[in-house]
């Protein structure tokens, strides 16, 4: 098989969560341990950092990877889902895994995988761990796929565990309360390994503290208790400028409102990691300033055009959309055009109730089986006073928004990671 045939095989032969949803989720670690044994425990040949949480995992992972890369470490990065290319999931110093490795790995282990029938994510995690080992990296940033306790990435023994925050998402799999979700996420807390918690209200904090009391990590640090960021401002470039005691005038290329919390989490993590790794101040400055260039991160308050201004963001649940709405309120425009689509296993009403009724809406659906039909979305949206037109494809919806918008308008594309995935090929991203 060539690369395209190999990817087609992967997509068709193993259940893929981002396409079909919960039916692709395999509870338990049996396959994980089988794959790990079959591959001879590749993740033990380099250091790792484990990052879980509901929102901000991707930004936090990419920021930390960028800093470590600038510090001179050969840095692996394993994240999900991808936007344009499967290989985005597995990178070393910002470079995607080679097509040849993907082809050879599947060919070599195809019979084994077919014998145990892993999920797409289980197979991909094994591939990532094996690739990092072959390439003799120094350290890998490993993003949890779903939950934490039973996630197949949880086989690693990291230098540090990070849990960004807890909010409502994947309730059908993780639980219907924040405490239940937190308990699943807390499953990556391990004995003797420090853990950083980005955000946690009182109830969620107690879950983490209870888990720590049973598991005995080296220490548990809540970033909010000693926030390293003293002040912040959003620059005209849409970058953040943070003032910290250790890193004055720290520029963060990621300009979304949620990035203040993510930056505080990363800076807290760096403080802990410096007990074991050499991370000079220069690496922190360059890592934050050039995170998109260093890692290829896309879809986080990504401005792709001006006149009219076009912004894409992968936020897809209530907590994420809250940040988006607040940031849109700060933007200046004549009219706001929102191209929106969602998937069918999200709490749609919690998102729709937050969106501004004054915007012009283009309801559509991303090109995956999990997509919520545009007609269903528009009917639900009307209950919240949102007005617009439905379109069968993201391309049709986006084209209509561009046709209707003037140079002083703003077009926002979001509601799902897969909306951004469908929109990006229609654009020519700019360099600010």
């Amino acid at each position: 098989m060539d690369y395209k045939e190999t990817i087609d095989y992967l997509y068709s032969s193993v259940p893929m969560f981002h396409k079909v949803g919960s039916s692709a989720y395999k509870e338990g670690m049996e396959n994980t341990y089988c794959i790990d044994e079959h591959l001879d425990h590749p993740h033990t040949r380099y250091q790792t950092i484990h990052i879980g949480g509901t929102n901000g995992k991707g930004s936090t992972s990419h920021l930390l990877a960028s800093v470590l890369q600038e510090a001179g470490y050969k840095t692996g990065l394993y994240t999900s889902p991808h936007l344009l290319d499967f290989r985005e999931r597995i990178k070393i110093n910002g470079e995607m895994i080679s097509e040849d490795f993907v082809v050879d790995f599947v060919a070599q282990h195809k019979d084994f995988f077919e014998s145990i029938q892993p999920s797409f994510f289980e197979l991909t995690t094994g591939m990532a761990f094996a690739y990092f080992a072959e390439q003799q990296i120094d350290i890998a940033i490993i993003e949890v796929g779903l939950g934490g306790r039973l996630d197949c990435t949880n086989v690693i023994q990291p230098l540090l565990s990070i849990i960004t925050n807890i909010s409502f998402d994947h309730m059908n799999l993780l639980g219907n309360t924040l405490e239940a979700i937190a308990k699943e996420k807390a499953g990556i807390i391990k004995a003797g390994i420090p853990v950083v918690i980005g955000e946690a209200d009182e109830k969620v904090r107690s879950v983490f503290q209870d888990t720590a009391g049973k598991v005995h990590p080296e220490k548990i640090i809540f970033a909010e208790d000693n926030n390293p960021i003293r002040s912040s401002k959003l620059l005209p470039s849409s970058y953040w400028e943070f003032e910290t005691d250790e890193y004055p005038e720290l520029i963060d290329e990621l300009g979304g409102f949620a990035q203040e919390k993510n930056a505080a989490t990363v800076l807290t993590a760096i403080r802990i990691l410096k007990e074991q790794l050499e991370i000079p101040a220069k690496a922190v400055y360059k890592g934050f300033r050039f995170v998109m260039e260093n890692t290829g991160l896309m879809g986080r308050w990504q401005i792709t055009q001006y006149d009219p201004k076009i912004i894409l963001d992968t936020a897809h649940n209530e907590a994420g959309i809250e940040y988006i709405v607040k940031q849109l309120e700060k933007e200046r425009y004549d009219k706001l055009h929102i191209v929106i689509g969602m998937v069918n296993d999200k709490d749609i009403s919690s998102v729709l109730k937050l969106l501004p009724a004054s915007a012009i809406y283009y309801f559509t659906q991303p090109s995956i089986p999990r997509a919520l039909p545009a007609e269903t979305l528009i009917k639900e949206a009307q209950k919240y006073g949102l007005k617009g037109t439905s379109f069968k494809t993201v391309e049709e919806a986006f084209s209509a928004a561009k046709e209707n918008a003037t140079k002083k308008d703003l077009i926002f594309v979001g509601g799902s990671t897969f909306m951004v995935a469908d929109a990006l090929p229609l654009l020519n991203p700019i360099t600010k």
Side-chain angles (χ1 to χ4, degrees):
M1 295 187 292
D2 61 16
Y3 176 71
K4 183 181 183 306
E5 290 169 337
T6 300
I7 293 300
D8 289 343
Y9 167 79
L10 288 178
Y11 288 173
S12 62
S13 65
V14 292
M16 189 176 184
F17 186 91
H18 92 244
K19 285 182 175 289
V20 302
S22 58
S23 63
Y25 178 68
K26 292 196 172 185
E27 188 169 298
M29 299 286 285
E30 182 179 352
N31 274 349
T32 296
Y33 294 132
C34 284
I35 294 170
D36 190 43
E37 177 75 22
H38 175 74
L39 297 175
D40 194 22
H41 318 290
H43 58 88
T44 62
R45 298 172 216 164
Y46 43 85
Q47 303 279 19
T48 57
I49 297 168
H50 208 188
I51 300 182
T54 303
N55 293 321
K57 296 191 300 294
S59 296
T60 300
S61 297
H62 284 77
L63 266 175
L64 201 48
S66 182
V67 169
L68 292 175
Q69 180 179 329
E70 289 289 355
Y73 295 100
K74 189 173 185 180
T75 305
L77 179 61
Y78 178 52
T79 59
S80 61
H82 63 271
L83 292 174
L84 302 177
D85 188 328
F86 164 82
R87 297 182 302 135
E88 294 168 28
R89 295 168 176 258
I90 306 168
K91 296 178 181 178
I92 297 175
N93 285 3
E95 294 293 324
M96 294 188 292
I97 185 172
S98 70
E99 292 185 359
D100 286 345
F101 186 91
V102 175
V103 172
D104 292 344
F105 180 84
V106 172
Q108 182 180 351
H109 303 288
K110 182 171 175 283
D111 290 343
F112 169 74
F113 288 130
E114 289 182 352
S115 73
I116 67 169
Q117 296 186 314
S119 70
F120 178 87
F121 191 72
E122 288 169 337
L123 190 157
T124 304
T125 300
M127 181 189 298
F129 290 173
Y131 183 65
F132 294 154
E134 184 197 78
Q135 294 296 308
Q136 299 182 326
I137 65 166
D138 299 312
I139 192 165
I141 311 298
I142 307 297
E143 180 189 326
V144 170
L146 178 66
R149 182 176 64 93
L150 298 176
D151 190 77
C152 59
T153 63
N154 205 25
V155 70
I156 64 175
Q157 292 292 315
L159 291 177
L160 174 68
S161 300
I162 300 172
I163 301 174
T164 56
N165 54 54
I166 302 296
S167 53
F168 288 109
D169 204 3
H170 300 297
M171 287 90 79
N172 59 324
L173 298 173
L174 302 180
N176 292 316
T177 67
L178 292 180
E179 293 93 325
I181 296 170
K183 189 173 182 180
E184 291 298 316
K185 306 282 186 183
I188 70 170
I189 298 175
K190 294 183 173 67
I193 295 170
V195 57
V196 170
I197 310 296
E199 299 177 74
D201 64 20
E202 188 174 338
K203 290 183 179 179
V204 166
R205 180 179 291 229
S206 68
V207 172
F208 293 134
Q209 289 170 330
D210 288 347
T211 302
K214 297 172 184 175
V215 175
H216 305 296
E218 179 187 295
K219 52 188 166 184
I220 180 169
I221 305 99
F222 292 90
E224 294 174 309
D225 290 350
N226 189 20
N227 191 336
I229 298 175
R230 290 189 283 106
S231 65
S232 59
K233 63 180 177 181
L234 197 58
L235 303 175
S237 61
S238 292
Y239 298 157
W240 281 109
E241 182 180 291
F242 299 124
E243 288 295 335
T244 84
D245 290 335
E246 194 167 0
Y247 310 106
E249 298 180 0
L250 177 65
I251 305 298
D252 186 353
E253 188 179 17
L254 304 181
F257 275 19
Q259 300 304 335
E260 285 186 279
K261 298 287 189 180
N262 294 332
T265 302
V266 171
L267 290 171
T268 302
I270 289 170
R271 190 169 66 233
I272 305 303
L273 288 169
K274 285 173 72 174
E275 297 172 7
Q276 304 178 72
L277 301 174
E278 186 175 342
I279 306 175
K282 182 180 179 181
V284 178
Y285 278 102
K286 293 187 71 176
F288 271 71
R289 173 61 183 82
F290 299 108
V291 58
M292 294 173 71
E293 180 180 331
N294 283 346
T295 67
L297 179 63
M298 298 180 287
R300 274 65 172 184
W301 197 257
Q302 184 175 354
I303 301 170
T304 63
Q305 177 183 307
Y306 293 93
D307 304 322
K309 195 173 190 178
I310 298 175
I311 301 171
L312 287 72
D313 199 281
T314 57
H316 54 270
N317 54 35
E318 182 177 4
I321 295 297
E322 279 184 10
Y323 279 115
I324 296 299
V325 172
K326 288 176 183 176
Q327 193 152 8
L328 286 173
E329 289 173 352
K330 298 293 184 181
E331 291 284 334
R332 295 183 179 181
Y333 49 77
D334 284 349
K335 292 180 180 178
L336 173 61
H337 305 259
I338 295 182
V339 182
I340 186 170
M342 300 185 71
V343 293
N344 59 21
D345 55 1
K346 300 296 179 183
D347 184 358
I348 302 161
S349 60
S350 69
V351 170
L352 294 175
K353 70 182 181 182
L354 298 172
L355 298 175
S358 58
I360 303 166
Y361 287 87
Y362 305 78
F363 300 100
T364 186
Q365 56 199 57
S367 57
I368 59 169
R370 283 172 66 203
L372 182 74
E375 289 299 329
T376 303
L377 181 59
I378 193 171
K379 287 178 183 177
E380 289 298 311
Q382 287 169 349
K383 298 177 183 177
Y384 297 92
L386 309 182
K387 299 177 181 178
T389 308
S390 66
F391 298 85
K392 291 183 179 180
T393 67
V394 174
E395 183 174 6
E396 290 174 4
F398 185 61
S399 295
K402 287 197 297 181
E403 186 175 331
N404 293 338
T406 68
K407 289 187 176 181
K408 294 184 178 180
D409 288 354
L410 189 153
I411 300 173
F412 176 81
V413 181
S416 167
T417 299
F418 312 108
M419 285 291 297
V420 175
D422 282 354
L424 277 170
L426 311 174
L427 295 157
N428 295 308
I430 60 172
T431 301
K432 291 181 284 187

